[in-house]
Amino acid sequence: MALLTLTTKGLYCEAGDFFIDPWESVERAVITHAHSDHARPGMKAYLTAMSGKGVLHERVGATAKIEGIPFGQTVEMGGVKVSLHPAGHLLGSSQVRVEHKGEIWVFSGDYKTQPDPSCEAFELVRCNTFITESTFGLPIYQWDDSRVLYREVEDWWRANQVLGRTSVLFAYALGKAQRVLAGVDPEVGPILVHGSVNRFLPHYEAAGMPLAKAEYATPELIKQHKGRCLLIAPSSVQGTTWLKRFQPCSLAFASGWMTVRGNRRRQALDRGFVLSDHVDWPSLMETIKATGAESIGVTHGYADVVVRYLKEQGNEAWVLKTEFEGESIQEVDSREENAE
Amino acid sequence: MKRFSQLFSEIDRTNRTNEKVAALVSYFNEAEAADAAWALYFLTEKRLSRPVTGRQLLQWASEASGFDPWLLEECYDRVGDFAETVALLVSEGDKILDEPLSRMVEEYILPLTDMGESSKRSIIVDTWMQLRKTERLLFMKMITGGFRMGVARTLVVRALAESCGVDKAILSHRLMGAWQPDAEGFQRIVSTNTSDDLGALPYPFYLAYPWEPEKEESFDVSEYRIEWKWDGIRSQLIKREGEVALWSRGEELITDQFPELLLAAASLPNGLVLDGEIVAWSGGEVMPFGELQSRLGRKRVGAALMQAIPVAFVTYDLLEVEGDDLRTVELDRRIKKLSELIPPQQLGARIFTVPELKASSWGNVSKWREKAADFKTEGVMIKRRSSAYGVGRKKGDWFKWKVDPFTIDAVLVYAQQGHGRRASLYTDYTFAVWDGKELVPVAKAYSGLTDKEIRKVDAFIKKNTTGRKGPVRMVKPELVFELAFEGIRVSSRHRSGVAFRFPRISRFRTDKPIEEADTLETICALLPPQAISQPTRMNQLELFPDAG
Ligand SMILES: [Zn+2]
Ligand SMILES: [Zn+2]
């Protein structure tokens, strides 16, 4: 019998009576990570990785009932053994391992295998059934070494300083923004962040992640540093009067979507840095193979394409239709927009 | 190829016109003539004949990348550009080619045409694997033709002019003709010896000021000649030394677009310059401007097109006759001479004059203007009978009094389905203009397009939706429209800070790239003087302003 099934409320484990990343209110929710398409407010009880507890509270509210468990520790739920394993997506992001009567399923959540000093490294978990995300499940998506990319960001930043322009880097407020802070060289100049980025920083600090020093962009600091600072902000600030205070600016976006030229040009960006917190195609295929899974569920992105490809390679694979949105080109998180 | 690829990235990376031009200028300054020749060739959107079919490329890309054609097609759907898809899917080996652009074209691409399929395949696939991603993209673009670097031809000419010091109009003229994309050909293009070129150049166009009806008292109507303001392309027709050239107001040579006018000009005397308007003309009257537009920007103008959309040159001024510059002669006398040379409109004529509009009072002039729509013109021209043909705009001699007092060029950014008969089509549009490097929505408009145009825009919208918000689709900014409106005012309710009265679509500007759409700044300049304080943009993101 399927250990995890899809219901109208989300991915459900009947044997253990709990949901994973549900989109409607339920009694018990296991949350892979605090992005808004996975973590929604209104659950009676949350279970998540210990190091992700703080950021999850930021997302679903300070009063939400959240239990944190260390990675690798097993909890029993109705005879089902549940444990969380690092997904490498952002601080405290996990894959969910579910074991029942000798059968092991793993739900990947969002993950990447690329090194990222701002969060726990992805851990490969062997299983019978692997449900994987496929946000970037097309072979055009192949990430370069992120260190090379940070040097490009720094070069762009320096060139902007010469021209007296603020370097505005659009990035997801949670995860990507902090990853950039862990990657760029703070010696280049001052770094300011938008309020929606800033509110997650204490949690990263508490977890001991080596992030460059960044300051919340107050009106005084904006005045003082515009024209030479790096500003990290969600893309929703594009076109606002708030952003105008930094003028003149050069606009860039750090996202896997920047692989395709048209995505950047359509948004009138000067630069696109291909930096993603999801697996690229080669790592997706490698990971699927390495889990040893006999059956592969694919969700969250190019599920149809990946499933067809896997089947052609002789695998058992199926599409799981969830409501996860993944890294959309237009940032849709309204809470982040309003945080300023 | 490295330097050319760098130029491509520099242009691709910025939306600032002056940075694009600067990148081009430094390329033209640094590149060897043989390479610059090919760069110029591709930048001006000339293409090589295609040596392979799309099917072959798909097959080879599939083999080179190890992915089945269906998966390549999925990727292509996402990327929207075949050359880019291949660039992303095929990866380079250890050996990297480092050849100048000219050798790349002349030794790797041009010889393909005469080769058998297997040789073609091995050269193309080997080259893919020996180029870095951006160079691979460029190599594909050169093979497949569709080369658009995101830089308008006028900018290329501007940069070249800045680099070599030759006048833009002269460069346009030289680029218009056949030239060899090699070192010698390039040197001829940028040659500072212009003695042979001057003969083909137009005079600077004399432009009219908007008429201010409230000031008509101060003008004597009998001193003015009233004419229709034609809805076409303002042009000068030049015939010198047996050669005919048609120049548009934008200093663009458009002779090739209108073979029938070229033919008609054959019987004109030499040493002649006519000022006038190219219009689509059928059954003794003007056709809508949209029809004329479909004649523009074509590589080849076929007989069927010429028959479907016949054009005429309506001439209303004579600037040169028998090689003499007439521009300082009074308008009435120039027109008298013109009527001796060019016949009035008659069946089958392609180049003709039209009579002036008789008016004995400003009230009569106003009546003519009200009738403009019946004659499919834009309004009336008011020209001082004693005026010389000046340079640029000189206040007081020539005026235009258009039916639509205001027009702007704006970019389609959102669309919604219409109602009733057109419920399945996207007919309700939101338009934006530039504010710096951003497009800000300024107006909604529903009406003004023909059914044919609506279907075309609808298909574009369905293919180029980038996002949705309820019933509204966000559309890839690519289409430019001219909007006409009755008035403009400051509005704090709109994100742009301005609101239009009765905006409607007056033209589908298929000839304009989005870079040439209007800016918020130019629109604010249209505000009535009492609203001098610049409107401030709203912080709140009002995506769908309802104008009016
Ligand atoms: Zn996520
Ligand atoms: Zn997600």
Side-chain angles (χ1 to χ4, degrees):
Chain A
M1 195 199 71
L3 257 181
L4 298 172
T5 51
L6 198 65
T7 72
T8 52
K9 293 182 173 175
L11 196 58
Y12 181 57
C13 175
E14 198 185 337
D17 190 23
F18 64 89
F19 286 82
I20 302 176
D21 295 351
W23 41 86
E24 271 178 42
S25 179
V26 299
E27 292 290 321
R28 281 202 292 180
V30 177
I31 302 295
T32 60
H33 67 288
H35 275 152
S36 59
D37 57 322
H38 296 258
R40 300 176 198 233
M43 309 298 156
K44 297 271 163 55
Y46 294 87
L47 181 75
T48 199
M50 190 75 92
S51 57
K53 225 184 120 174
V55 288
L56 184 55
H57 270 301
E58 288 291 339
R59 179 71 68 203
V60 299
T63 58
K65 200 180 139 207
I66 304 177
E67 186 191 340
I69 54 167
F71 283 122
Q73 182 183 306
T74 304
V75 282
E76 297 256 348
M77 291 203 251
V80 175
K81 286 183 186 149
V82 179
S83 57
L84 304 179
H85 304 267
H89 181 55
L90 52 88
L91 177 64
S93 68
S94 54
Q95 310 169 70
V96 183
R97 180 185 185 276
V98 181
E99 183 179 347
H100 184 60
K101 295 180 181 163
E103 168 106 0
I104 302 165
W105 285 47
V106 168
F107 174 69
S108 77
D110 292 350
Y111 69 104
K112 70 169 176 290
T113 56
Q114 257 191 328
D116 174 357
S118 75
C119 70
E120 302 89 350
F122 176 84
E123 179 192 326
L124 184 79
V125 184
R126 293 190 55 89
C127 54
N128 303 105
T129 298
F130 183 50
I131 302 177
T132 180
E133 65 135 322
S134 61
T135 309
F136 290 100
L138 285 179
I140 50 169
Y141 298 112
Q142 303 191 21
W143 313 143
D144 289 330
D145 185 338
S146 51
R147 283 167 305 186
V148 177
L149 221 109
Y150 296 131
R151 301 299 86 84
E152 282 179 22
V153 171
E154 289 155 9
D155 289 345
W156 162 73
W157 182 7
R158 283 196 199 93
N160 289 333
Q161 286 178 330
V162 173
L163 296 167
R165 287 180 190 152
T166 307
S167 303
V168 179
L169 184 61
F170 295 133
Y172 275 85
L174 171 58
K176 188 74 57 67
Q178 291 76 17
R179 183 180 177 193
V180 170
L181 284 173
V184 293
D185 180 3
E187 293 297 313
V188 179
I191 304 176
L192 300 186
V193 294
H194 183 262
S196 61
V197 174
N198 191 51
R199 69 190 181 124
F200 294 112
L201 295 184
H203 303 290
Y204 275 77
E205 200 176 319
M209 296 306 171
L211 267 48
K213 184 169 169 292
E215 287 190 279
Y216 170 56
T218 59
E220 298 73 49
L221 286 177
I222 294 174
K223 220 175 259 164
Q224 192 184 335
H225 294 314
K226 72 172 192 177
R228 60 192 194 97
C229 67
L230 173 68
L231 169 70
I232 303 177
S235 65
S236 54
V237 304
Q238 191 173 4
T240 60
T241 44
W242 181 78
L243 192 61
K244 279 205 161 176
R245 292 188 219 163
F246 291 88
Q247 272 177 348
C249 302
S250 175
L251 304 183
F253 201 164
S255 165
W257 299 116
M258 294 298 115
T259 303
V260 174
R261 270 177 81 216
N263 287 340
R264 172 170 51 83
R265 300 203 59 82
R266 240 165 266 155
Q267 286 184 72
L269 299 164
D270 295 304
R271 294 294 294 270
F273 297 107
V274 182
L275 185 70
S276 173
D277 287 331
H278 295 267
V279 270
D280 63 358
W281 174 273
S283 307
L284 174 65
M285 291 307 148
E286 236 168 75
T287 308
I288 288 172
K289 199 166 171 213
T291 59
E294 308 87 67
S295 176
I296 301 127
V298 186
T299 188
H300 202 314
Y302 293 99
D304 295 323
V305 175
V306 173
V307 164
R308 177 168 171 191
Y309 181 79
L310 288 171
K311 280 184 169 164
E312 286 183 357
Q313 307 292 308
N315 299 288
E316 186 191 313
W318 38 280
V319 175
L320 182 74
K321 285 225 181 300
T322 56
E323 291 187 12
F324 307 127
E325 290 157 343
E327 198 171 317
S328 74
I329 298 174
Q330 292 291 329
E331 193 156 12
V332 286
D333 196 316
S334 58
R335 270 175 303 266
E336 285 173 0
E337 276 180 20
N338 298 333
E340 173 53 37
Chain B
M1 183 83 151
K2 236 194 226 150
R3 186 61 187 85
F4 184 56
S5 152
Q6 184 196 332
L7 169 69
F8 172 79
S9 300
E10 285 169 359
I11 292 174
D12 195 45
R13 255 169 212 180
T14 181
N15 283 301
R16 296 177 172 91
T17 302
N18 52 358
E19 287 180 3
K20 288 185 187 191
V21 172
L24 286 162
V25 171
S26 62
Y27 178 83
F28 287 130
N29 286 346
E30 289 166 30
E32 297 289 329
D35 299 327
W38 280 111
L40 186 60
Y41 183 87
F42 292 118
L43 283 163
T44 50
E45 288 175 34
K46 285 195 191 304
R47 6 173 119 202
L48 302 171
S49 64
R50 198 173 165 143
V52 287
T53 65
R55 183 178 292 276
Q56 286 172 323
L57 286 172
L58 181 70
Q59 185 57 39
W60 301 340
S62 164
E63 288 158 17
S65 65
F67 297 113
D68 278 357
W70 73 265
L71 190 48
L72 257 73
E73 277 171 32
E74 291 284 352
C75 292
Y76 171 63
D77 271 357
R78 176 71 234 178
V79 178
D81 180 304
F82 186 63
E84 190 180 348
T85 309
V86 171
L88 289 168
L89 285 175
V90 178
S91 22
E92 62 254 30
D94 300 327
K95 201 181 132 216
I96 295 292
L97 269 182
D98 186 14
E99 298 275 25
L101 177 63
S102 52
R103 275 181 57 98
M104 208 65 225
V105 179
E106 288 159 19
E107 284 171 38
Y108 292 78
I109 299 176
L110 296 183
L112 289 172
T113 322
D114 303 319
M115 286 182 185
E117 175 158 345
S118 71
S119 316
K120 281 183 188 172
R121 180 192 179 282
S122 72
I123 288 196
I124 289 177
V125 171
D126 284 354
T127 311
W128 279 344
M129 303 213 271
Q130 291 177 40
L131 292 175
R132 296 195 199 285
K133 201 185 283 172
T134 308
E135 287 158 18
R136 188 157 53 237
L137 168 70
L138 294 173
F139 176 67
M140 277 296 283
K141 291 275 183 198
M142 291 186 245
I143 291 181
T144 55
F147 214 110
R148 285 188 61 195
M149 300 231 323
V151 49
R153 186 194 170 92
T154 48
L155 290 189
V156 178
V157 174
R158 189 170 124 195
L160 192 60
E162 202 174 305
S163 161
C164 68
V166 177
D167 186 76
K168 278 191 295 184
I170 292 176
L171 289 176
S172 304
H173 178 234
R174 289 176 181 173
L175 285 169
M176 211 61 195
W179 59 280
Q180 275 301 316
D182 53 24
E184 224 177 293
F186 184 75
Q187 257 131 22
R188 221 169 283 144
I189 295 244
V190 298
S191 161
T192 46
N193 179 356
T194 54
S195 47
D196 291 347
D197 301 283
L198 294 172
L201 297 187
Y203 291 106
F205 284 83
Y206 189 32
L207 307 177
Y209 262 84
W211 178 247
E212 293 166 272
E214 59 279 6
K215 290 188 189 157
E216 65 185 30
E217 298 291 291
S218 50
F219 298 96
D220 178 355
V221 72
S222 68
E223 286 176 14
Y224 287 83
R225 177 184 164 90
I226 313 300
E227 299 169 351
W228 286 126
K229 181 169 187 342
W230 297 97
D231 196 7
I233 301 165
R234 175 87 183 272
S235 316
Q236 282 179 34
L237 190 155
I238 297 173
K239 184 166 185 188
R240 291 175 185 139
E241 287 166 34
E243 251 190 80
V244 177
L246 271 168
W247 287 87
S248 77
R249 221 186 83 192
E251 286 194 334
E252 254 192 283
L253 200 48
I254 49 175
T255 325
D256 293 353
Q257 314 280 327
F258 304 104
E260 62 267 68
L261 296 181
L262 192 64
L263 196 69
S267 57
L268 294 178
N270 250 321
L272 181 78
V273 177
L274 303 176
D275 187 11
E277 200 96 4
I278 298 171
V279 290
W281 189 272
S282 172
E285 62 172 25
V286 190
M287 294 160 82
F289 187 77
E291 302 284 340
L292 181 61
Q293 268 177 321
S294 44
R295 287 286 308 259
L296 301 177
R298 298 192 178 247
K299 290 265 172 294
R300 229 181 61 80
V301 181
L305 186 67
M306 284 197 277
Q307 196 157 29
I309 305 158
V311 297
F313 186 79
V314 180
T315 175
Y316 42 67
D317 214 331
L318 179 66
L319 311 186
E320 183 180 305
V321 74
E322 288 169 12
D324 286 338
D325 182 350
L326 291 189
R327 291 178 299 160
T328 51
V329 173
E330 287 186 2
L331 174 68
D332 264 0
R333 290 188 46 212
R334 295 203 302 273
I335 294 206
K336 189 164 170 291
K337 268 197 173 319
L338 177 67
S339 61
E340 288 161 11
L341 284 167
I342 309 290
Q345 193 243 316
Q346 56 185 305
L347 193 69
R350 295 260 176 226
I351 300 173
F352 50 80
T353 57
V354 283
E356 68 178 296
L357 304 174
K358 298 286 178 205
S360 53
S361 70
W362 291 118
N364 290 156
V365 177
S366 171
K367 287 238 165 58
W368 279 118
R369 175 176 165 271
E370 280 159 29
K371 280 189 211 148
D374 301 338
F375 290 87
K376 303 203 175 68
T377 64
E378 284 190 306
V380 293
M381 296 294 297
I382 301 170
K383 296 176 177 174
R384 192 189 291 275
R385 295 183 183 278
S386 61
S387 64
Y389 192 91
V391 174
R393 248 185 258 262
K394 189 169 152 271
K395 210 157 185 171
D397 278 348
W398 284 22
F399 299 95
K400 56 186 175 189
W401 194 11
K402 291 176 40 162
V403 177
D404 287 325
F406 301 104
T407 55
I408 57 163
D409 291 326
V411 183
L412 173 67
V413 287
Y414 309 122
Q416 217 174 329
Q417 279 169 332
H419 307 282
R421 176 168 80 88
R422 288 170 172 168
S424 66
L425 294 171
Y426 282 82
T427 56
D428 299 1
Y429 311 124
T430 301
F431 298 95
V433 296
W434 294 105
D435 180 21
K437 298 173 344 176
E438 271 176 72
L439 285 168
V440 249
V442 286
K444 264 186 162 185
Y446 314 93
S447 58
L449 294 181
T450 63
D451 280 359
K452 201 169 122 200
E453 286 170 328
I454 288 176
R455 278 195 301 277
K456 207 168 140 195
V457 175
D458 177 76
F460 173 86
I461 291 165
K462 286 171 179 160
K463 249 211 217 126
N464 293 279
T465 300
T466 57
R468 283 166 208 259
K469 190 159 186 167
V472 178
R473 288 194 187 210
M474 288 162 209
V475 184
K476 176 179 168 190
E478 192 174 306
L479 305 186
V480 178
F481 295 83
E482 183 184 276
L483 305 183
F485 49 94
E486 302 292 319
I488 180 171
R489 63 182 168 80
V490 176
S491 162
S492 56
R493 278 183 50 237
H494 294 80
R495 188 179 160 206
S496 60
V498 291
F500 299 109
R501 237 161 58 83
F502 304 122
R504 59 196 176 276
I505 303 166
S506 51
R507 280 171 190 182
F508 186 2
R509 297 300 307 248
T510 47
D511 54 326
K512 281 217 168 185
I514 61 167
E515 291 80 22
E516 288 175 25
D518 271 299
T519 64
L520 204 50
E521 217 179 340
T522 55
I523 290 172
C524 288
L526 300 174
L527 282 169
Q530 56 266 37
I532 277 167
S533 66
Q534 280 269 320
T536 45
R537 289 260 311 271
M538 297 278 89
N539 187 11
Q540 173 211 3
L541 284 162
E542 192 186 348
L543 281 180
F544 313 113
D546 59 316

